[in-house]
């Protein structure tokens, strides 16, 4: 496989390339600590000999051992599939002090280093979304997706995908919307429509509520059953889009109880601040009121902790 070049100053940027942003430690499990059962020094020696590269002697021992013994193989497999299926490239975000070559050497353990075209240095988790947006703008990138365990939906919108324990098959389906579908969003004050090749796929009704300084989005999902659509990924796309464009803090999803299990919006429900309502209870307004009260209690609790 030919190694892809980094974006260098003075070189023309690629505008149509599919880019996947992922954090440098996103592939490492945090709950296994398998690395503690092994001799780290022998691991470093083994990898240095195997790859004929002394860089493995330089990398922090614990970081190297975690990447070797506590890797999330499911995420590695899904990520590899995403890279190959959509001819994508990797941009790594990192806030640690490893060198670019050390980071690439860790990804080399799983055959992913050749996909890396750049590494973004971020100060902290709060600045990461802005760093990514600046990178996308300065490099004229049109097609990209960001995977992260922290919720950046409000900042990155439909280009963001919340990474839970592992990457999932659903992440491939969602990525296809961004990389392979000619999607267009049309939005007014009450309705948002998603079009593909100028044909309407889905239309959702929504209402914005304002409570103190909080923006709450009420989204009616019952109407979607009047449309033909390929899957729940379209709904997730619109929820993510609205979260960014409307600067949403909390979301109320109005779902028909009969269809809850069939819909199962797993990706969207990974977001921190989503609550569901079932209209079949015939007390929608009461449920909305109760959800608002719950949101305010949570919000006030979070403020007291801060």
């Amino acid at each position: 496989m030919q190694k892809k070049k980094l974006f260098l100053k003075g070189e023309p940027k690629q505008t149509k390339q599919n880019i996947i942003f992922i954090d440098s430690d996103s592939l490492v499990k945090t709950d296994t600590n398998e690395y503690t059962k092994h001799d780290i020094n022998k691991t470093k020696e083994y990898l240095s000999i195997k790859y004929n590269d002394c860089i493995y002697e330089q990398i922090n021992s614990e970081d190297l051992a975690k990447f070797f013994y506590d890797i999330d193989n499911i995420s590695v497999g899904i990520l590899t599939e995403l890279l190959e299926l959509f001819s994508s490239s990797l941009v790594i975000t990192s806030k640690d002090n490893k060198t670019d070559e050390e980071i690439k050497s860790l990804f080399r353990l799983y055959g992913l280093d050749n996909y890396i075209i750049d590494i973004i240095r971020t100060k902290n988790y709060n600045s990461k979304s802005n760093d990514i947006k600046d990178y996308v703008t300065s490099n004229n990138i049109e097609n990209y997706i960001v995977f992260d365990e922290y919720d950046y939906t409000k900042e990155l919108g439909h280009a963001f995908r919340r990474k839970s324990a592992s990457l999932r098959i659903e992440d491939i389906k969602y990525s296809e919307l961004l990389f392979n579908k000619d999607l267009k969003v049309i939005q007014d004050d009450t309705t948002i429509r998603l079009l593909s090749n100028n044909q309407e796929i889905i239309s959702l009704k929504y209402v914005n509520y304002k409570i103190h300084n909080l923006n709450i989005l009420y989204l009616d999902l019952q109407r979607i059953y009047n449309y033909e659509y390929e899957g729940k990924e379209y709904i997730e796309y619109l929820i993510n889009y609205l979260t960014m464009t409307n600067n949403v803090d909390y979301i109320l999803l109005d779902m028909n109880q009969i269809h809850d299990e069939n819909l199962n919006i797993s990706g969207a429900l990974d977001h921190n601040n989503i609550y569901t309502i079932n209209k079949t209870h015939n007390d929608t307004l009461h449920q909305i009121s109760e959800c608002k009260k719950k949101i305010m209690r949570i919000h006030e609790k979070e403020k007291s902790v801060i």
Side-chain angles (χ1 to χ4, degrees):
M1 182 184 298
Q2 186 176 1
K3 193 171 186 177
K4 298 180 180 179
K5 295 182 179 179
L6 296 172
F7 286 144
L8 300 176
K9 292 182 178 180
E11 288 189 358
K13 305 296 187 281
Q14 303 181 53
T15 58
K16 296 297 182 181
Q17 189 174 12
N18 295 330
I19 303 295
I20 297 173
F21 291 86
I22 196 166
D23 194 79
S24 59
D25 58 3
S26 285
L27 301 180
V28 177
K29 295 179 181 179
T30 59
D31 58 351
T32 53
N33 293 324
E34 177 68 24
Y35 78 98
T36 59
K37 304 174 184 178
H38 301 270
D39 187 326
I40 298 178
N41 289 326
K42 288 186 177 179
T43 302
K44 297 179 76 168
E45 181 181 358
Y46 164 75
L47 292 174
S48 297
I49 295 173
K50 178 179 179 179
Y51 292 99
N52 191 28
D53 193 339
C54 62
I55 196 168
Y56 293 105
E57 296 286 352
Q58 305 169 14
I59 300 175
N60 177 275
S61 297
E62 186 172 305
D63 290 343
L64 177 60
K66 285 181 178 179
F67 218 91
F68 188 70
Y69 292 110
D70 291 286
I71 200 69
D72 181 357
N73 288 306
I74 294 176
S75 290
V76 169
I78 295 293
L79 180 57
T80 302
E81 183 74 10
L82 286 168
L83 291 164
E84 295 180 353
L85 187 62
F86 301 115
S87 300
S88 308
S89 298
L90 273 178
V91 173
I92 307 299
T93 58
S94 176
K95 63 179 181 60
D96 58 34
N97 57 3
K98 296 187 190 70
T99 67
D100 287 2
E101 289 305 315
E102 286 175 342
I103 292 173
K104 291 169 71 175
S105 295
L106 291 175
F107 278 79
R108 177 168 60 177
L109 299 178
Y110 303 97
L112 296 171
D113 57 314
N114 287 328
Y115 295 101
I116 298 174
I117 61 171
D118 220 339
I119 297 173
I120 302 176
R121 299 295 175 171
T122 61
K123 294 180 180 179
N124 50 55
Y125 293 113
N126 293 327
S127 69
K128 184 186 293 187
S129 59
N130 286 329
D131 293 334
I132 291 174
K133 287 192 289 187
D134 290 344
Y135 183 89
V136 166
T137 300
S138 61
N139 288 287
N140 299 316
I141 298 172
E142 295 181 4
N143 301 328
Y144 67 98
I145 188 168
V146 180
F147 292 104
D148 204 280
E149 59 267 31
Y150 288 86
D151 193 350
Y152 294 115
T153 316
K154 194 173 180 180
E155 295 81 9
L156 298 171
H158 55 285
F160 176 73
R161 183 76 172 171
R162 182 84 180 272
K163 179 184 178 295
S164 55
S166 299
L167 292 175
R168 300 164 297 185
I169 294 296
E170 289 82 2
D171 295 320
I172 297 177
K173 297 178 181 178
Y174 190 86
S175 298
E176 184 179 9
L177 299 188
L178 300 179
F179 294 153
N180 285 356
K181 301 288 185 180
D182 182 19
L183 297 180
K184 180 180 181 181
V185 176
I186 299 177
Q187 179 183 359
D188 58 32
D189 292 338
T190 61
T191 306
I192 184 167
R193 300 166 58 216
L194 184 63
L195 283 69
S196 178
N197 297 319
N198 294 321
Q199 296 293 320
E200 182 175 294
I201 302 173
I202 189 171
S203 176
L204 299 178
K205 293 289 186 180
Y206 71 92
V207 177
N208 277 330
Y209 293 94
K210 190 81 172 181
I211 302 181
H212 301 298
N213 294 323
L214 297 178
N215 291 320
I216 300 176
L217 178 72
Y218 165 78
L219 193 59
D220 187 355
L221 297 188
Q222 295 204 79
R223 298 174 183 269
I224 64 172
Y225 302 107
N226 296 326
Y227 295 86
E228 293 294 330
Y229 64 97
E230 293 181 18
K232 60 184 179 293
E233 290 76 26
Y234 288 122
I235 304 171
E236 298 174 31
Y237 184 98
L238 288 182
I239 290 175
N240 292 348
Y241 185 95
L242 280 169
T243 301
M244 179 180 66
T245 58
N246 290 34
N247 197 30
V248 172
D249 295 301
Y250 293 89
I251 299 173
L252 305 181
L253 297 183
D254 201 339
M255 302 170 68
N256 188 320
Q257 190 178 30
I258 297 174
H259 293 95
D260 280 0
E261 292 184 2
N262 294 330
L263 186 59
N264 187 23
I265 313 177
S266 56
L269 293 177
D270 278 341
H271 294 257
N272 292 331
N273 303 325
I274 288 185
Y275 298 87
T276 59
I277 296 171
N278 295 314
K279 264 189 177 177
T280 50
H281 293 167
N282 296 320
D283 58 351
T284 301
L285 292 178
H286 173 70
Q287 290 189 59
I288 291 175
S289 176
E290 290 301 308
C291 281
K292 287 180 181 178
K293 292 178 183 178
K294 183 176 181 180
I295 287 170
M296 288 310 302
R297 288 196 299 269
I298 294 174
H299 181 65
E300 291 300 322
K301 184 176 180 181
E302 289 176 346
K303 282 172 53 180
S304 65
V305 172
I306 296 173

